[in-house]
Amino acid sequence: MTDAGGHHQSQHPGRTLEVVLERITFASEETGYTIARASQGRSSELITIVGPLLGAQIGESLVVTGRWTVHAKYGRQFEVWSYRTVLPATVQGIEKYLGSGLIKGVGPKTAEKIVGHFGPDTLDVIDTDPDRLIEVPSLGPKRTATITAAWEEQRAIKEVMVFLQSVDVSTSLAVKIYKKYEDAAIGVVKNEPYRLANDVWGIGFKTADSIAQAVGIAHDSPERIKAALQYSLSQATDGGHCFLPEPNLISDTAAMLELDTELVDKALEELIAEDEYVKADDIPSADDSTVPARYLTPFYHAEGGLARTVAQLLSEKADRMSTFQSVDWDRALDWLRRQTGADLAEQQREAVRLALTSKFAVLTGGPGCGKSFTVSSIVALARAKKAKVMLTAPTGRAAKRLAELTGHEATTVHRLLSLRPGGDAAYDRDNPLDVDLLVVDESSMLDTILANKLVKAVPPGAHVLFVGDVDQLPSVGAGEVLRDLLAANDIPRVRLTEVFRQAAESGVVAGAHQVNHGQEPDVKGYDDFFFFSCEDKEILPEKVVEIVAQRIPQRFGLHPTRDVQVLTPMHRGPSGAGNLNRLLQETLTPAREGQPEKQYGGRIYRSGDKVIQLRNNYDKGANGVFNGTVGRVIDIDTVAQAATIRTDEDEEVGYDFSELDELTHAYAITVHRSQGSEYPAVVVPMTTSAYTMLRRNLLYTAITRAKRLVVLVGSKRAMMIAVKSKGTGKRHTGLTARLERSFSDL
């Protein structure tokens, strides 16, 4: 038996108490450590219980084993080592249990009616003869069926929870495991535990490995080593790499497992020979040698497919906009000047000609260099010649901005391709889009897998223009597509470098370019770029909250939630996104009497909360909800056990309470998660605690997210570290080499 910290308590048998869980005041999703208030017997006085209680529901009767302790600050509390649930026996207990939100579709009022009808036999009736629920006034067949199904699911989940507890796994994962495998759940956990890491969101290799050890899988078994190799590659893709060099993969995995590299090497050879999960390739490197690249299969196919398709698009003989091959450009550009009232600079004219004559091209440049006006000009000329134009961007916000700039409908890549559950696209090589010119904005955000899906849907002879700022951070997902395209010699491109006079009057634009050139941003005299010095790391979070909640709304009339976005270098630490979200939520959407809220793990969700999606979920919404999608909580339904989110694309999406770990608060987000978005105001805390993340492209990306106002707050030294640090080095990608290979194969 172990306590909340995992320390054995076998020298003391401990005390046993029967309690009813009244409320949870804190619960850690990571460790399962919970602080709760509970009642004992007839006493009205509540006691504090602490320990690994994750999975226990409010209203449940628990038998807890542990010991009484005295906390220096919080006083007497019962330290729980283990617990089991028991069904309540009294009418009052049954009513509270049923009405606690445990059973979907049953709130306090419905519970009162059911218990009022069946009395102390209520739980027995639901368990053995649930059809009798229809006897309760106002409970029709539909509600009866819903309650019966929810009760059955809870019972099955409890079985999984009990089994998982026996192998020392947090019971908070039981709901997900049950929903994935249903009746097969215990069999999978016992016999194929490493499947969990691939199949169930929230379970990584380490959790699956702890289960595997508990059910008796050997420390050096090939099954374990192969699962660990896939985990190492998966971790690498989470860090942006498409592959790992074989020596890195073997040494990282051997160190993690504490095994000899020979065993890992042998397992990797077998994995590659199986040709299912891991692929091998040799990628040319800068010094004329090759890198033994080891890929997870989806990334191998996506990178190769993207390279081949781009090469095919460029070499295609057919041309869906052939009229521009013989156009009189002086006349065309003169017509454009009369339409817009503005003249294009030479670089912009070159970009217009390139996009309309080349079947694949890239347009890049920093803020204030006229990318948007150039794109609008390209679209205007194409439409004047009756070309079918489609505009797309990776995020809803970016698509909305593109539509405003061009006056032409724009959509997200996911909606454009009509992605379906599982991630398959309705539009692909066999069913291409009906498009002559496809413009992809914010293409620095495109990861390899999404970029491959997109180019595969382009018909032969169509023109594709990737637009983006290559100096920004690369995509959240694996790859650095825009940078790799520009590194390939045969990709047509224009880089806009001239900052226009009107844009240069903006502190946001001037500061961004100064940072990008390794210079301290000189913000004196600008009314849209500020630096607040705050060297004390302890009070910096309070200063950020004050700026967001008070100073910016008072001086600029901006809404603190809708218009202001805090962008942090890191998630952890006092000035990280996690802590700032907690403080900003307390200030901007505090708890209110009578307003429902839901605690899940260490977070509380309330109506009005700003949230962000943490994973691609193709089963939600019309075409999926994707990593980085921002929205607001508009409803918390404690009876239906569901929350409703309205995304930035004005789509309402439902989440069961058990799915809330797919969301986190978004009052503050990391700079990486902000890519492709634009906000009226951006607040960036700078602290030397984030030393490893302080890079020039990170600060540059943060500044360029702002439309009207940038506020840097914190340490001048931290800002200068970021300005002077060029970058974190190249990701492990093979796209440039594969492009060169594809061009030579044509």
Side-chain angles (χ1 to χ4, degrees), residues 168-215:
D168 291 334
V169 175
S170 162
T171 52
S172 64
L173 297 169
V175 176
K176 295 186 174 186
I177 292 172
Y178 174 77
K179 284 192 172 178
K180 179 67 184 175
Y181 304 115
E182 295 184 333
D183 293 342
I186 291 176
V188 171
V189 171
K190 277 183 178 176
N191 304 316
E192 303 173 88
Y194 291 109
R195 269 183 66 188
L196 300 173
N198 292 325
D199 293 351
V200 183
W201 162 253
I203 296 183
F205 169 79
K206 290 179 181 175
T207 302
D209 194 40
S210 70
I211 298 172
Q213 301 291 299
V215 298

Side-chain angles (χ1 to χ4, degrees), residues 456-529:
K456 275 202 305 191
V458 176
H463 291 225
V464 179
L465 178 66
F466 274 26
V467 183
D469 185 346
V470 76
D471 294 321
Q472 286 184 22
L473 288 169
S475 56
V476 174
E480 40 189 355
V481 171
L482 186 62
R483 198 164 296 164
D484 285 353
L485 285 168
L486 289 169
N489 295 324
D490 293 306
I491 299 293
R493 85 285 307 273
V494 170
R495 180 162 191 154
L496 303 178
T497 55
E498 180 188 344
V499 180
F500 291 96
R501 184 180 56 79
Q502 187 177 357
E505 294 170 2
S506 156
V508 175
V509 172
H513 282 282
Q514 286 162 351
V515 166
N516 203 29
H517 289 102
Q519 302 162 5
E520 178 183 349
D522 180 9
V523 297
K524 297 182 192 70
Y526 290 107
D527 60 3
D528 62 348
F529 198 130

Side-chain angles (χ1 to χ4, degrees), residues 550-568:
Q550 296 173 29
R551 291 196 182 206
I552 290 177
Q554 287 167 7
R555 180 163 174 184
F556 296 95
L558 296 173
H559 191 279
T561 306
R562 271 196 316 272
D563 300 329
V564 184
Q565 184 62 57
V566 178
L567 300 179
T568 75

Side-chain angles (χ1 to χ4, degrees), residues 157-173:
I157 288 168
K158 285 290 180 196
E159 286 180 23
V160 177
M161 283 181 172
V162 169
F163 175 72
L164 286 176
Q165 277 191 326
S166 75
V167 291
D168 291 334
V169 175
S170 162
T171 52
S172 64
L173 297 169

Side-chain angles (χ1 to χ4, degrees), residues 19-163:
V19 298
V20 175
L21 200 60
E22 300 288 345
R23 68 174 180 269
I24 294 172
T25 55
F26 171 80
S28 166
E29 186 72 18
E30 291 179 12
T31 65
Y33 181 79
T34 303
I35 302 171
R37 300 282 280 165
S39 58
Q40 267 187 294
R42 296 175 181 275
S43 172
S44 59
E45 188 179 334
L46 298 183
I47 63 169
T48 299
I49 60 175
V50 300
L53 289 161
L54 212 56
Q57 303 282 335
I58 293 169
E60 282 189 317
S61 296
L62 311 177
V63 175
V64 293
T65 301
R67 64 176 180 177
W68 285 104
T69 61
V70 179
H71 191 281
K73 185 175 179 182
Y74 300 109
R76 193 167 187 253
Q77 53 190 30
F78 190 80
E79 181 186 304
V80 177
W81 303 340
S82 67
Y83 81 92
R84 60 187 173 86
T85 59
V86 292
L87 294 176
T90 66
V91 167
Q92 293 88 345
I94 293 168
E95 189 176 310
K96 185 159 197 171
Y97 176 68
L98 276 184
S100 66
L102 178 73
I103 306 300
K104 193 179 288 190
V106 180
K109 289 180 180 174
T110 304
E112 186 181 351
K113 288 178 185 173
I114 294 172
V115 177
H117 187 81
F118 296 113
D121 297 330
T122 297
L123 298 182
D124 191 48
V125 168
I126 298 174
D127 208 33
T128 60
D129 195 7
D131 291 343
R132 287 189 60 198
L133 285 170
I134 204 162
E135 297 173 15
V136 179
S138 81
L139 276 193
K142 193 173 177 184
R143 288 281 302 283
T144 299
T146 301
I147 293 167
T148 304
W151 179 266
E152 281 297 316
E153 184 175 301
Q154 274 299 322
R155 185 162 56 182
I157 288 168
K158 285 290 180 196
E159 286 180 23
V160 177
M161 283 181 172
V162 169
F163 175 72

